[in-house]
């Protein structure tokens, strides 16, 4: 009997990616919610000492950190049934490329606009993020408006990975009352997001929007003009 466990945090898109992969593959697992603060959670410190982040996946006692690494592990280890990454090698490479783009280029700007308390840093991050989203918007146009990057008409790796943009970003911008990703400037990303969010699999496996919104309203740093600028 295989032992499959996930140490996660309900707000984390990275944890949800792994849960979605396990559900798509039909793999049973035990979910463990990390203790807050995550960096100090004893299990996180023990099993992900380098990054000290959720998620950490455990297969038969062996820990694996980093959501993208975990998704590939799950795909390779449970080959039967739905595959997450596209079969075509070029499409696979592109899926990995755009996943890396979202995590390495977009995520740092998302973190800054959401959690940094400095007004200038936040505004700059929102601008940078919009520039990055333009690249994704153009990629979707090249993809001939195919809602699924890999061209395989199903939820897979790219759809799971992109929840950071297609779901979380919308909730975060609503919580902070800012406008970054909108239908006028990014019609293709918004259409892609709408279509994805109308899939029953997505609806069933994402945290409820209102709950997520309440979390970000409480923990994100609002965009407030510095005092001295208000008085001028
Ligand atoms: N690159 C990581 C990112 C994971 C990540 O950023 N996790 C956040 C939660 S959304 C975390 O654990 N943060 C802990 C902290 O910053 O204290 C992955 O893909 O797994």
């Amino acid at each position: 009997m295989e032992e499959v466990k996930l140490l996660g945090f309900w707000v984390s898109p990275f944890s949800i990616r792994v849960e979605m992969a396990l559900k798509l593959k039909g793999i049973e697992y035990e979910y463990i919610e990390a203790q807050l603060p995550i960096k100090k959670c004893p299990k996180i410190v023990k099993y992900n000492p380098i990054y000290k982040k959720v998620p950490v996946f455990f297969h038969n006692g062996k820990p694996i950190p980093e959501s993208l690494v975990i998704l590939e592990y799950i795909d390779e280890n449970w080959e039967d049934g739905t595959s997450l990454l596209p079969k075509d090698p070029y499409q696979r490479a592109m899926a990995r490329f755009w996943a890396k783009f979202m995590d390495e280029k977009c995520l740092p700007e998302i973190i800054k606009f959401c959690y940094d308390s400095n007004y200038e840093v936040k505004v700059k991050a929102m601008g940078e993020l919009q520039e990055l989203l333009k690249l994704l918007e153009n990629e979707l146009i090249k993809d001939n408006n195919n809602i699924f990057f890999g061209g395989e008409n199903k939820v897979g790796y790219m759809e799971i990975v992109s929840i950071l943009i297609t779901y979380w970003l919308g909730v975060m911008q609503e919580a902070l009352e800012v406008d970054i990703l909108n239908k006028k400037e990014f019609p293709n990303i918004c259409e892609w997001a709408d279509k994805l969010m109308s899939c029953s699999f997505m609806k069933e496996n994402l945290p409820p929007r209102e709950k997520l919104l309440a979390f970000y309203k409480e923990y994100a740093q609002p965009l407030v003009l510095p005092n001295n600028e208000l008085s001028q």
Side-chain angles (χ1 to χ4, degrees):
M1 180 69 186
E2 307 223 53
E3 191 194 62
V4 179
K5 293 185 184 177
L6 173 66
L7 178 59
F9 177 43
W10 74 271
V11 181
S12 168
F14 310 100
S15 294
I16 306 292
R17 283 175 178 173
V18 178
E19 290 206 76
M20 284 184 159
L22 292 167
K23 285 180 181 155
L24 275 176
K25 292 269 192 185
I27 302 163
E28 287 194 19
Y29 64 99
E30 181 190 336
Y31 177 79
I32 306 156
E33 182 82 350
Q35 289 168 23
L36 298 179
I38 293 172
K39 275 192 179 72
K40 293 192 178 153
C41 169
K43 284 198 173 76
I44 294 289
V45 173
K46 182 167 178 195
Y47 295 113
N48 191 3
I50 296 181
Y51 293 107
K52 298 194 182 76
K53 287 178 181 206
V54 288
V56 181
F57 180 71
F58 299 87
H59 186 207
N60 296 330
K62 288 179 293 193
I64 306 170
E66 285 296 305
S67 64
L68 298 182
V69 176
I70 301 168
L71 294 191
E72 296 224 13
Y73 178 83
I74 291 172
D75 212 17
E76 285 171 16
N77 203 67
W78 285 272
E79 280 180 305
D80 298 344
T82 309
S83 63
L84 303 176
L85 276 153
K87 289 272 179 252
D88 175 76
Y90 181 74
Q91 298 287 6
R92 283 169 91 84
M94 286 302 100
R96 289 182 176 120
F97 174 84
W98 286 104
K100 211 168 147 63
F101 167 83
M102 287 180 197
D103 283 13
E104 290 181 9
K105 300 286 280 183
C106 301
L107 179 64
E109 305 306 332
I110 293 177
I111 290 173
K112 276 186 246 166
F113 104 74
C114 189
Y115 293 115
D116 205 292
S117 53
N118 182 289
Y119 179 83
E120 277 85 22
V121 171
K122 283 175 110 66
V123 171
K124 186 161 180 279
M126 290 193 288
E128 301 280 352
L129 187 55
Q130 283 200 310
E131 290 305 312
L132 294 167
L133 291 175
K134 279 181 198 160
L135 302 172
L136 187 61
E137 176 73 12
N138 289 338
E139 184 60 24
L140 285 174
I141 295 169
K142 274 200 275 163
D143 202 28
N144 202 20
N145 255 340
N146 185 345
I147 59 161
F148 300 112
F149 261 99
E152 294 175 2
N153 202 18
K154 63 181 179 61
V155 173
Y157 178 85
M158 203 60 230
E159 293 70 41
I160 294 176
V161 168
S162 67
I163 55 174
L164 177 65
I165 307 289
T166 55
Y167 192 62
W168 260 260
L169 181 55
V171 176
M172 287 167 162
Q173 70 175 12
E174 187 180 334
L176 291 175
E177 296 175 24
V178 295
D179 178 30
I180 298 168
L181 178 60
N182 58 62
K183 284 201 162 86
K184 192 161 167 270
E185 285 169 284
F186 303 101
N188 288 288
I189 299 178
C190 290
E191 192 190 335
W192 185 48
D194 286 349
K195 282 186 184 162
L196 273 178
M197 293 312 141
S198 68
C199 290
S200 52
F201 177 82
M202 290 294 188
K203 282 193 220 151
E204 282 157 22
N205 292 296
L206 286 165
R209 205 171 193 286
E210 288 312 312
K211 200 176 161 202
L212 209 52
L213 189 60
F215 174 90
Y216 285 108
K217 280 190 175 164
E218 185 169 354
Y219 292 103
Q221 291 285 333
L223 182 73
V224 194
L225 271 169
N227 285 339
N228 57 350
E229 290 188 33
L230 279 176
S231 57
Q232 276 169 11

